[in-house]
Amino acid sequence: MSDKEIHTYDVVVIGAGPVGENVADRSRAAGLSTVIVESELVGGECSYWACEPSKALLRPVLLYGEAARFPGVGGAVTGPLDADAVLKHRDRTSADWNDRDQVDWLDSACIDLVRGHGRLDGPRRVTVHTPEGGIVRLAARHAVAVCTGTSAALPPLPGLDALRPWTSREATSAREVPDRLAILGAGVVAVEMATAWRGLGAQVTLIARESRLLGRVEAFAADLVADRLREAGVTLHVGTTIETAERAGGPDDAVHITLADGTRLVADELLLATGRAPRTEDIGLETVGLTPGEWLGVDDAYAVTAVDGEWLYAVGDVNRRALLTHQGKYQARIAGAAIAARARGLALDTGRWGAHAGTADLEAVPQVVFTDPEIAAVGLTTEDAARAGRTVDVVDYEIGRVAGAIQHDPGYRGHARVLIDPERRVIVGATFAGAGVAELLHSATVAIAGEVPIDRLWHAVPSFPTISEIWLRLLETYRDQRV
């Protein structure tokens, strides 16, 4: 490709993570010529630095903890985890940070790939600066989809560059276990990485500016996680933050930390898990009248609302509707269908359940936090309902009272809560905390997304003895509360 020639496609996608791949797949399947632009590895953050490597680190830790607590098994679990073996497993899961298989998939789907940094260059135009120093100019007949995701949002600590902190990327790709790890943050990345690295042998200190961990989940679930972290040996400092931090340099090169409450700490590595920022600061937004570095507001078909012509789409984390890989892929399927429909001159089906309207990223967003215990949640929490002024009936049940829970742990600690709209008699929120609860989540998601009436759920009979029996117990509790 020459520097001056313009290469025209029906669709240009910026970002080849799971979201960009799915947009490209849907548009190509509809017969539209498609090119995807990627500045790093095809497969994106989830494949190499987030979902997959983090779970590869966490699963052995969680399995070890569960086995160590089980009668007849605990005595056979001796010695620490083999950290080197776990890290090698993580490397395999991340394909050793080689994207050859992902590139082969693009080839099989007839999707062209241009490697380099893509920037908008006016309406329907993208300029790519390649690693070799060349320039590739692309034009889109129908749509440009921005699928660049997010990056770590770092706090304004003095001397940040010299501090050389970990972000989520370093935390999931580290080559060895640090002796001492300090983590600033209270969200999912913070608690999952505290769980993983403590299980692999690091001394972990977790510093949370908030008064509790996991502020977006039900408090009972967050408290169970905090209790288990403490039992595992993680030191928690809540309601405070880092005042100063600096690397000593020299042979020790430790990080010396002072907290706002005066506490002094020393760590070998400092993970800053303080949120995410959109990767829009250098993608040419100014050339189409938008502000670099901002989140991109979209309609329910994921077209950017501040740009006329319905040609620019923002899909996945970059639009801030739901910062989760599975939700981004859901958006991509809808956006791809919308792009294809508009390319054919068809009117979009944008009704509530329409093929070109996203609703699941607003009303029934499922998420699993892979800690000990697991947290699985979808829909509203009690705090969400209170903020929205919505009246809900709250139904609670201890999961350990369900026969199937004993199959996981005779001393099972876990709790379930559902929120029910008393007028419509449908579930609008569900949270489960405990071992093995992740597999309960899709049934809750179906119940909420499908607005299944409580009277119908009575006829969905759970198998005995499984943890899914919690559904029966919750319904019975709700019935008794209303008598």
Side-chain angles (χ1 to χ4, degrees):
M1 292 185 177
S2 72
D3 287 3
K4 294 183 179 179
E5 182 182 1
I6 296 176
H7 305 271
T8 302
Y9 292 82
D10 292 324
V11 180
V12 178
V13 180
I14 305 176
V19 175
E21 287 179 325
N22 273 269
V23 172
D25 180 51
R26 291 297 84 210
S27 63
R28 188 68 192 91
L32 303 179
S33 61
T34 304
V35 62
I36 197 165
V37 178
E38 177 54 54
S39 61
E40 296 184 291
L41 295 175
V42 176
E45 198 80 11
C46 182
S47 299
Y48 305 104
W49 299 287
C51 320
E52 297 191 42
S54 67
K55 304 315 168 280
L57 293 173
L58 282 159
R59 181 56 184 154
V61 170
L62 298 174
L63 183 62
Y64 181 93
E66 188 173 345
R69 293 192 294 267
F70 207 88
V73 180
V77 178
T78 60
L81 279 172
D82 185 340
D84 287 341
V86 172
L87 294 179
K88 288 177 182 177
H89 167 63
R90 184 272 320 272
D91 293 350
R92 288 192 296 271
T93 300
S94 301
D96 290 308
W97 292 274
N98 185 307
D99 64 2
R100 183 67 258 170
D101 287 347
Q102 299 274 6
V103 173
D104 287 346
W105 176 82
L106 290 179
D107 290 341
S108 72
C110 299
I111 299 167
D112 287 349
L113 169 66
V114 176
R115 291 191 183 272
H117 181 72
R119 300 182 83 257
L120 292 166
D121 192 15
R124 294 184 174 85
R125 296 286 189 271
V126 174
T127 297
V128 184
H129 293 265
T130 70
E132 298 77 23
I135 295 176
V136 177
R137 303 185 190 280
L138 304 172
R141 296 185 187 92
H142 300 296
V144 175
V146 175
C147 307
T148 50
T150 61
S151 57
L154 300 179
L157 285 175
L160 199 58
D161 290 342
L163 187 59
R164 304 194 313 277
W166 278 8
T167 67
S168 55
R169 283 196 169 194
E170 289 76 20
T172 56
S173 62
R175 310 309 301 177
E176 59 184 23
V177 180
D179 290 334
R180 300 162 297 183
L181 173 64
I183 303 173
L184 177 63
V188 174
V189 171
V191 296
E192 286 191 349
M193 290 299 94
T195 301
W197 289 109
R198 178 65 194 124
L200 292 172
Q203 293 297 319
V204 177
T205 301
L206 184 61
I207 305 151
R209 291 177 289 191
E210 297 81 0
S211 59
R212 69 171 176 91
L213 305 183
L214 297 169
R216 295 185 179 181
V217 306
E218 295 280 7
F220 73 79
D223 290 344
L224 284 169
V225 170
D227 289 345
R228 190 72 86 183
L229 285 172
R230 290 188 180 97
E231 291 170 9
V234 175
T235 301
L236 300 184
H237 294 273
V238 298
T240 189
T241 190
I242 294 177
E243 191 76 20
T244 62
E246 59 180 6
R247 282 204 179 265
D252 178 36
D253 201 30
V255 182
H256 293 259
I257 300 167
T258 302
L259 304 185
D261 63 11
T263 303
R264 295 180 181 274
L265 308 170
V266 179
D268 299 292
E269 301 292 349
L270 171 62
L271 165 59
L272 299 178
T274 50
R276 308 293 294 178
R279 294 184 66 181
T280 61
E281 70 284 348
D282 188 24
I283 61 168
L285 292 184
E286 68 281 0
T287 70
V288 293
L290 300 176
T291 303
E294 291 193 348
W295 303 94
L296 298 177
V298 295
D299 61 21
D300 287 342
Y302 306 105
V304 176
T305 54
V307 174
D308 293 334
E310 297 174 326
W311 63 269
L312 182 63
Y313 291 75
V315 193
D317 287 6
V318 75
N319 64 38
R320 208 181 193 180
R321 283 168 64 122
L323 276 66
L324 296 161
T325 297
H326 47 277
Q327 295 298 141
K329 292 163 72 173
Y330 161 80
Q331 293 179 7
R333 293 190 290 271
I334 290 174
I339 290 168
R342 283 176 168 145
R344 298 189 183 107
L346 302 177
L348 297 192
D349 177 10
T350 56
R352 187 177 178 204
W353 307 112
H356 309 122
T359 59
D361 52 359
L362 298 174
E363 299 174 0
V365 179
Q367 181 176 18
V368 178
V369 184
F370 292 89
T371 46
D372 183 6
E374 289 177 343
I375 300 173
V378 58
L380 299 176
T381 66
T382 50
E383 291 183 359
D384 292 334
R387 281 193 296 268
R390 294 185 62 171
T391 299
V392 294
D393 292 334
V394 180
V395 187
D396 289 286
Y397 201 86
E398 292 296 324
I399 301 177
R401 295 167 59 190
V402 173
I406 300 173
Q407 311 307 319
H408 282 269
D409 185 347
Y412 194 102
R413 282 186 287 174
H415 192 82
R417 172 175 291 175
V418 295
L419 308 181
I420 298 174
D421 183 320
E423 293 187 2
R424 295 188 296 138
R425 290 180 60 78
V426 296
I427 294 174
V428 294
T431 299
F432 309 95
V437 300
E439 300 306 327
L440 293 172
L441 188 56
H442 193 59
S443 57
T445 304
V446 170
I448 294 173
E451 299 180 336
V452 181
I454 293 295
D455 293 340
R456 289 297 303 152
L457 285 178
W458 273 107
H459 298 281
V461 181
S463 299
F464 182 90
T466 67
I467 293 180
S468 63
E469 192 186 6
I470 190 65
W471 281 108
L472 173 60
R473 302 307 173 204
L474 287 164
L475 292 175
E476 289 176 335
T477 301
Y478 186 54
R479 175 199 62 196
D480 294 343
Q481 286 178 188
R482 293 176 63 85
V483 171

